[in-house]
């Protein structure tokens, strides 16, 4: 593969890219891994719920101890686990957590409301991202907006990790959509605009009720166990998300424009197996619990490992810290 392709120019047309994927992994193998399961979805949701319950209990115990260092440590741990509630939202809008459709919709609403991401809006945004991954003119993650911008220097990198643009986008889009101002390029049908506006109003109403009830009861539990850690935990998720596509080829080939990143088992499970992100983009119909098997099959296929390693610089072989270090080294090189 040419150095030019590795640096970001992948001119393989989308149909040719799909032909490549069929050679790497036959459709029969994909179908075997794509079966949905209420049991697997329930086990994964219970795991994430147990992690949240454990860190919430640790935070409560720390507050009771009145030892500042324990309070800070428990708060950070809780914020970290809460930030990854984005993962069940992401998987639920794919409709692949559970076999039962209603359960996917319910989980999307719970996780979307907890993370302040309206599920219908995110579904339409994410569909556009999957359909046009790597296309700078159509992929909303490459749209060069206030919340989706190039991470090509230290200032933008630190701004992205701070999550300030993300939260600004969350608050302003909730307000705009609730007021009926829905003008995103991927929300052009009347049905989509109405749906997004309605769910924004529903979420805003829910948050107002929570705040009013908390004030009336003089209870600060929602503040310390949900709102503040949700706000504070977003940099942990930003650090993870940077590895998905930044530093990868532009173009249609999903094994080149997306990075699979190695990590330890607990982190991968908390992320609902999304570190296998190249496999997820290549075969988005495969649910989270089928991705490890797909990953193994790709590695065993002729040229599969080379595809996973050749499209991104740095590769994901050495984990998330190494990816972030590699990306920042490029900034230093540009500055020099």
């Amino acid at each position: 593969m040419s150095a030019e392709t590795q640096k970001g120019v992948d001119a393989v047309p989308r149909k040719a890219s799909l032909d490549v994927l069929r050679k790497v992994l036959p459709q029969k193998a994909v179908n075997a891994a794509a079966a949905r399961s209420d049991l697997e979805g329930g086990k994964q949701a219970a795991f994430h719920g147990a992690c949240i319950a454990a860190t919430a209990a640790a935070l409560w115990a720390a507050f009771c101890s009145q030892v500042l260092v324990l309070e800070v440590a428990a708060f950070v741990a809780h914020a970290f686990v809460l930030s990854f509630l984005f993962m069940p939202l992401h998987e639920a809008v794919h409709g692949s957590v559970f076999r039962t459709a209603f359960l996917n919709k319910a989980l999307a609403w719970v996780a979307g409301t907890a993370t302040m991401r309206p599920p219908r809006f995110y579904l339409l945004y994410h569909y556009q991202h999957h359909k046009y991954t790597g296309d700078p003119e159509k992929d909303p993650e490459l749209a060069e907006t206030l919340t989706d911008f190039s991470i090509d220097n230290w200032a933008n990198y630190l701004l992205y990790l701070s999550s300030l643009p993300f939260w600004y986008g969350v608050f302003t889009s909730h307000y705009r959509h609730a007021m009926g101002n829905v003008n995103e390029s991927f929300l052009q049908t009347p049905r989509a605009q109405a749906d997004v506006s309605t769910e924004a109003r529903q979420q805003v109403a829910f948050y107002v009720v929570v705040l009013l009830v908390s004030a009336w009861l003089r209870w600060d539990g929602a503040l310390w166990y949900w709102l503040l850690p949700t706000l504070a935990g977003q940099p942990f998720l930003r650090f993870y998300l940077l590895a998905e596509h930044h530093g990868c080829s532009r173009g249609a080939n999903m094994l080149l424009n997306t990075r699979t990143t190695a990590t330890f088992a607990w982190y991968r499970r908390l992320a609902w197996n999304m570190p296998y992100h190249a496999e997820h983009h290549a075969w988005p119909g495969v649910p989270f619990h089928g991705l490890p098997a797909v990953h193994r099959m790709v590695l065993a296929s002729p040229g599969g490992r080379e595809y996973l390693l050749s499209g991104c610089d740095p590769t994901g072989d050495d984990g998330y810290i190494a990816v972030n270090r590699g990306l920042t080294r490029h900034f230093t090189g540009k500055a020099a």
Side-chain angles (χ1 to χ4, degrees), residues 44 84 87 90-91 240-241 243-245 258-281 288 291-292 295 308 316-317 319-320 323:
Q44 177 62 25
F84 277 75
M87 302 306 178
H90 166 268
E91 190 73 6
Y240 163 88
L241 291 175
E244 291 185 341
H245 301 287
T258 307
R259 181 186 284 107
T260 281
T261 305
T263 188
F264 54 96
W266 181 83
Y267 190 79
R268 184 167 53 246
R269 188 169 185 188
L270 189 68
W272 291 57
N273 283 331
M274 284 303 116
Y276 297 123
H277 211 62
E279 293 85 348
H280 168 67
H281 266 263
F288 69 94
L291 289 175
H295 177 70
L308 290 180
D317 258 11
Y320 285 90
V323 169

Side-chain angles (χ1 to χ4, degrees), residues 9 11 21 39 76 78 90 135 187 210 221 224 234 290 318-319 324 335:
V9 181
L21 296 182
L39 176 61
V76 169
H78 192 52
H90 166 268
D135 184 336
L187 299 173
V210 169
W224 285 106
Q234 195 61 210
D318 295 321
N324 276 261

Side-chain angles (χ1 to χ4, degrees), residues 89 93 108-109 112-113 117-124 199 203:
L89 167 65
V93 300
W109 179 253
T113 302
R117 292 174 173 88
R120 178 65 174 167
F121 172 79
Y122 180 69
L123 166 63
L124 296 170
E199 76 170 357
Q203 281 201 344

Side-chain angles (χ1 to χ4, degrees), residues 14 74 80-81 115 194 239 247 269 301 321 336:
R14 193 161 297 275
F80 176 84
V81 172
T115 59
F239 183 84
R269 188 169 185 188
S301 68
I321 293 175

Side-chain angles (χ1 to χ4, degrees), residues 2-15:
S2 71
E4 184 181 29
T5 299
Q6 292 177 343
K7 291 178 181 178
V9 181
D10 170 24
V12 178
R14 193 161 297 275
K15 184 179 183 302

Side-chain angles (χ1 to χ4, degrees), residues 151 153-162 239 242 324 328 331:
I151 314 296
N153 56 63
W154 273 104
N156 283 1
Y157 175 77
L158 295 174
L159 182 63
Y160 179 84
L161 287 185
S162 77
F239 183 84
L242 268 171
N324 276 261
T328 57
F331 308 159

